[in-house]
Amino acid sequence: MKQLTSIQRIGGWTLTELMMAAGISGVLVTGLLVGAASIQRSYFASRHHVDSQAQQMRMMDFMNLDLRRALSVTTESEKLVVRIPDFYGNDGAPRDPQIVRGQAIYGTTPRTVEYYREGSAIFRKEGDVRTELATEVSDFKLAFKDLGQSIMVSVTFLPKFQFSGSKAESVREGTATFSTTLLRNKRQG
Amino acid sequence: MRSKSNNLGSILVMALFFTAILAMAGAITFGVIQNRYRQVHQTASWQEALLAAEAGIDIAVNEMRKQLFDPDNAWKSWSKAADPEGTEQITEANPTDGEVYYTSNVLLRKGEGGQRSYSKIAVDAPPFLIDRSGEQWYRVRSLGVAEVPGGAVAAGDKVDLRLRKFEHRVDRRTGEALSKSQATRLIEAIVKPVGTFRVALFGARTINLNNHNIEVDSYDSRDDDKSTNGFYDPNKRTENGDVATNGTLIQAGDAHIYGDAATNGGTVLDSSNVTGEIRNDFYQELFAVNRPKVNPDPFTPSTIKGTETILAKPGQPSQYLFNEINLSGSETLKIEGSGDGTPTYAQIVVTGDISMSGQAKIEVGEGVYLRIFVAGNVDITGNGINNPNSPLNLQLYGLDRPTNPDGSPQSPGEMKIGGNGGFRGTVYAPMYDVEMVGGGTTNPDKSVYGAFVGWTVRMTGVQAVHYDEALTDGGLVADYKVVSWFEDVR
């Protein structure tokens, strides 16, 4: 009898106890799932932010490299056209410059480098060679400002987490990167 | 008891399982963060390498400037060997003797990126970089090197690494083994000498244009769009007829200045007809004009006091040393060239005064390049100097004079440029009061073509000054300037 009583005490779950346990477990699991989903969203948003910043940095560095050595620059809304010296010969080695009208000239015709967006990607095109600098950048915005002897470039993107989602421009301000590059060859003359 | 043991085991397994998941998530996150962290530092090092390379260009240009202002110390610690270990010091040579090399001191810093950077510089002066006036340009190749922290691991995407090249074990340019990772960037710059005539009118202390009918404009004898047959064309004039002073005052006199008017923190008075900028940030270094060492050619006169003909010759200039030049009546000093207009050269040093009056004149032959250095005063009236060539062919220099502690001349010389025939030439006399006496703006034969530098510059009467932009490449070398800049990304 003692054994029987003991067994009954161990295995004796009432319906109320089971329902309460199930309810508490449900709340905990729901919280866990919601929390996990939030962490995941946060992780991907952070990842997007970091990747976007890396792409920003890459585009800036590419553009600044060409702008520094530019002979002339033209800017449109989201297109940058840079003309650089024809520094390399057909064998890929640097040419010797020649003095023409008081300036040092490499080759005969300057090379043209373009930066532009096509679809959701941003490209650098030098001659016929096109390089994809950034992909999935539909939320990126490029802007150029010609300051005469220097060019200002800004790149912004829309972050995944937005506290004021309806005001995209104000959100962009938080992700804006600016760079002002002195056109070294503008000092010619 | 068995049943209880099984339950405890499940909990342990579950705990390990969830711990493993958390550890994996942490490890992935850490991996991503570390990669980006490393990329930030490597990118910073890559940027520092550019700063080091540009610093190398500055170091090289500084040596070129030493050639002008401190020639005894120019290129002193440079080597003829590219390997910094094999330091073969040269003390009296420059890049015209062959390529020279220098490795800068190591710059130490704290912060993102590497903490050590330096530049390796090579300078040469090849024959194809000699301009039409015979001046040597220089090619500078500066390699900026910055150490990369964080181990020999490349961070970033493929496109990043195509842009930012890092060397972890082997120097990609020399093939040498490396003990530390590094970022390198190579810049090739072309540096050209800058002449003394960078603006149309330059008064070290003041400029005074006292007539609103005066015109100062520019043309470019090198460019058919800005000149006709190399000569000034009023229909093609450009607006680089700048006037400038190291002092604080330009009296523009409402003159028509087709260019900028610039002071050193001062004021431009009566500037209503200045088409360019009014600036107050101007300063130009002046250098003393020392008397050249002249060994007069045999059988040449020692003074000019009447009609005389002297010769200019190809190659090295003819040398003349005169006590004075004093012409009156219809006396003429003729500097004769080859006759067919091919370039010939002559250099005259006058230890006393130059004065001309009546119908006297100095005639410069076609193709003659003439430099006159004068120690005394100059009064060029009469029929003036007839130079049928470019303004650069006639260069008149006022020799240095004793100065006060503030650099001003104790007793400025007097240089008066006038004459019935206008003037086509250049004047560099920072220790002189230069006065230009006009003969009207409408007659191109009575205009002034060239550039003028004086302690003070004053224009009297109505006249026009047409500045030839080609003068920036001529005259004595006063400075060096980077005119081409290219980053070699190989």
Side-chain angles (χ1 to χ4, degrees):
Chain A
M1 273 305 283
K2 274 185 181 175
Q3 269 188 337
L4 195 64
T5 306
S6 175
I7 289 168
Q8 276 182 335
R9 194 174 292 160
I10 292 168
W13 298 86
T14 64
L15 182 61
T16 309
E17 284 174 329
L18 280 172
M19 288 180 69
M20 282 186 69
I24 291 167
S25 300
V27 169
L28 288 174
V29 169
T30 305
L32 198 66
L33 287 174
V34 171
S38 295
I39 289 171
Q40 194 182 29
R41 279 184 58 210
S42 176
Y43 174 77
F44 283 117
S46 301
R47 188 76 193 267
H48 172 265
H49 201 96
V50 169
D51 288 344
S52 297
Q53 282 186 328
Q55 298 202 67
Q56 262 184 329
M57 202 159 64
R58 179 191 309 150
M59 283 190 290
M60 286 286 198
D61 285 346
F62 261 108
M63 283 188 272
N64 289 341
L65 174 76
D66 286 324
L67 284 170
R68 274 188 213 100
R69 56 188 185 173
L71 296 171
S72 65
V73 180
T74 53
T75 56
E76 295 168 19
S77 61
E78 282 205 341
K79 186 172 184 180
L80 180 70
V81 181
V82 181
R83 283 153 62 85
I84 62 173
D86 191 12
F87 186 78
Y88 303 105
N90 293 332
D91 58 353
R95 298 177 194 274
D96 288 332
Q98 302 298 322
I99 298 174
V100 181
R101 290 182 181 174
Q103 296 187 356
I105 305 294
Y106 292 92
T108 52
T109 310
R111 296 184 66 81
T112 301
V113 180
E114 294 179 338
Y115 290 88
Y116 59 92
R117 177 207 294 274
E118 191 173 288
S120 62
I122 292 173
F123 292 92
R124 174 185 186 273
K125 187 179 174 191
E126 181 178 355
D128 296 329
V129 180
R130 202 166 80 149
T131 308
E132 195 175 60
L133 299 184
T135 55
E136 298 174 12
V137 291
S138 53
D139 59 351
F140 269 61
K141 194 172 176 182
L142 289 171
F144 309 105
K145 192 173 179 185
D146 191 343
L147 303 173
Q149 203 175 344
S150 58
I151 300 287
M152 189 170 80
V153 180
S154 69
V155 183
T156 63
F157 63 91
L158 276 174
K160 294 287 184 192
F161 278 163
Q162 299 168 23
F163 290 108
S164 54
S166 60
K167 296 178 181 173
E169 285 310 310
S170 64
V171 176
R172 281 189 191 280
E173 284 175 13
T175 65
T177 303
F178 294 90
S179 161
T180 303
T181 305
L182 176 72
L183 308 177
R184 270 56 168 177
N185 291 314
K186 276 261 185 174
R187 294 178 293 195
Q188 287 195 21
Chain B
M1 278 299 288
R2 192 180 296 165
S3 172
K4 198 174 180 180
S5 294
N6 285 344
N7 287 342
L8 285 173
S10 300
I11 290 166
L12 183 62
V13 169
M14 290 295 282
L16 288 172
F17 177 70
F18 281 110
T19 304
I21 289 175
L22 289 172
M24 278 176 60
I28 292 169
T29 306
F30 180 74
V32 171
I33 290 170
Q34 193 197 28
N35 185 273
R36 294 301 180 196
Y37 184 71
R38 182 174 276 140
Q39 189 182 359
V40 166
H41 277 265
Q42 291 187 350
T43 302
S45 296
W46 185 73
Q47 301 285 14
E48 282 161 20
L50 177 68
L51 300 181
E54 294 214 280
I57 303 286
D58 289 341
I59 289 170
V61 173
N62 193 42
E63 294 301 318
M64 292 169 206
R65 286 186 175 137
K66 278 187 193 171
Q67 293 180 140
L68 304 175
F69 301 105
D70 186 15
D72 292 341
N73 291 309
W75 309 106
K76 221 169 186 182
S77 52
W78 290 61
S79 166
K80 285 183 178 173
D83 177 8
E85 299 302 321
T87 50
E88 183 191 348
Q89 302 296 330
I90 52 175
T91 54
E92 292 183 0
N94 66 34
T96 52
D97 299 325
E99 198 162 32
V100 293
Y101 304 89
Y102 182 75
T103 300
S104 76
N105 293 330
V106 174
L107 305 169
L108 299 173
R109 61 177 295 279
K110 292 180 178 177
E112 286 179 340
Q115 294 181 352
R116 291 162 54 90
S117 57
Y118 58 95
S119 48
K120 297 166 91 169
I121 314 153
V123 181
D124 68 340
F128 56 79
L129 286 181
I130 296 175
D131 66 19
R132 63 175 187 160
S133 59
E135 296 294 349
Q136 178 69 61
W137 297 25
Y138 295 94
R139 175 167 54 187
V140 182
R141 292 195 183 99
S142 177
L143 181 74
V145 183
E147 287 182 0
V148 176
V153 179
D157 300 339
K158 277 184 183 174
V159 188
D160 290 318
L161 296 174
R162 198 182 306 163
L163 170 67
R164 307 184 196 104
K165 296 183 175 76
F166 299 101
E167 294 145 17
H168 296 290
R169 303 193 189 285
V170 177
D171 187 319
R172 75 176 193 275
R173 290 187 175 86
T174 64
E176 292 172 2
L178 296 171
S179 58
K180 288 183 177 177
S181 301
Q182 65 181 29
T184 58
R185 297 178 76 171
L186 178 63
I187 297 171
E188 178 169 313
I190 305 299
V191 183
K192 81 170 187 181
V194 179
T196 46
F197 306 112
R198 281 181 270 177
V199 296
L201 301 177
F202 175 58
R205 186 180 178 208
T206 58
I207 288 181
N208 187 353
L209 314 177
N210 59 11
N211 193 303
H212 71 279
N213 286 318
I214 289 172
E215 284 184 6
V216 183
D217 62 6
S218 62
Y219 67 107
D220 191 338
S221 59
R222 300 166 297 188
D223 190 340
D224 290 339
D225 294 333
K226 299 174 181 174
S227 63
T228 298
N229 298 324
F231 290 95
Y232 174 77
D233 183 337
N235 297 318
K236 297 178 180 178
R237 77 169 160 205
T238 53
E239 299 194 355
N240 291 308
D242 301 340
V243 300
T245 178
N246 281 354
T248 55
L249 181 64
I250 292 177
Q251 169 53 268
D254 285 331
H256 292 263
I257 297 171
Y258 294 91
D260 298 344
T263 64
N264 183 9
T267 311
V268 180
L269 299 176
D270 298 330
S271 60
S272 57
N273 289 323
V274 177
T275 64
E277 286 183 68
I278 305 291
R279 293 169 43 193
N280 60 7
D281 59 349
F282 182 87
Y283 183 79
Q284 179 177 320
E285 194 70 42
L286 293 167
F287 66 93
V289 182
N290 297 315
R291 179 178 151 176
K293 291 174 185 169
V294 172
N295 295 315
D297 291 348
F299 311 113
T300 57
S302 59
T303 187
I304 301 292
K305 282 191 171 179
T307 296
E308 191 77 55
T309 298
I310 59 174
L311 300 176
K313 63 183 184 184
Q316 291 299 311
S318 304
Q319 304 282 350
Y320 298 96
L321 179 63
F322 300 146
N323 297 324
E324 64 172 330
I325 297 177
N326 187 347
L327 301 173
S328 60
S330 56
E331 293 168 347
T332 301
L333 170 62
K334 194 171 182 183
I335 296 92
E336 205 167 74
S338 60
D340 59 3
T342 54
T344 51
Y345 304 88
Q347 181 166 281
I348 300 172
V349 174
V350 183
T351 55
D353 296 342
I354 299 176
S355 63
M356 297 164 62
S357 59
Q359 302 299 309
K361 63 182 175 183
I362 295 176
E363 275 190 10
V364 181
E366 203 178 339
V368 172
Y369 284 83
L370 175 64
R371 281 181 174 172
I372 302 174
F373 295 83
V374 60
N377 294 327
V378 177
D379 184 357
I380 297 174
T381 48
N383 279 342
I385 301 178
N386 179 14
N387 169 28
N389 311 295
S390 156
L392 200 55
N393 286 51
L394 172 61
Q395 299 172 21
L396 181 55
Y397 293 95
L399 291 175
D400 202 29
R401 290 179 164 237
T403 57
N404 297 311
D406 65 355
S408 61
Q410 290 176 5
S411 172
E414 291 178 12
M415 192 171 287
K416 189 175 179 182
I417 308 287
N420 302 323
F423 184 80
R424 190 186 296 276
T426 56
V427 171
Y428 186 84
M431 293 287 143
Y432 281 68
D433 291 326
V434 176
E435 181 183 7
M436 299 155 71
V437 183
T441 55
T442 53
N443 186 347
D445 292 335
K446 294 191 175 184
S447 293
V448 174
Y449 303 86
F452 301 84
V453 177
W455 173 247
T456 64
V457 174
R458 186 158 66 102
M459 292 177 72
T460 305
V462 180
Q463 59 184 312
V465 176
H466 309 297
Y467 171 67
D468 184 354
E469 293 170 30
L471 291 172
T472 52
D473 291 339
L476 296 181
V477 177
D479 201 356
Y480 286 90
K481 177 182 178 184
V482 174
V483 289
S484 173
W485 190 106
F486 194 88
E487 181 173 353
D488 183 353
V489 295
R490 290 174 300 153

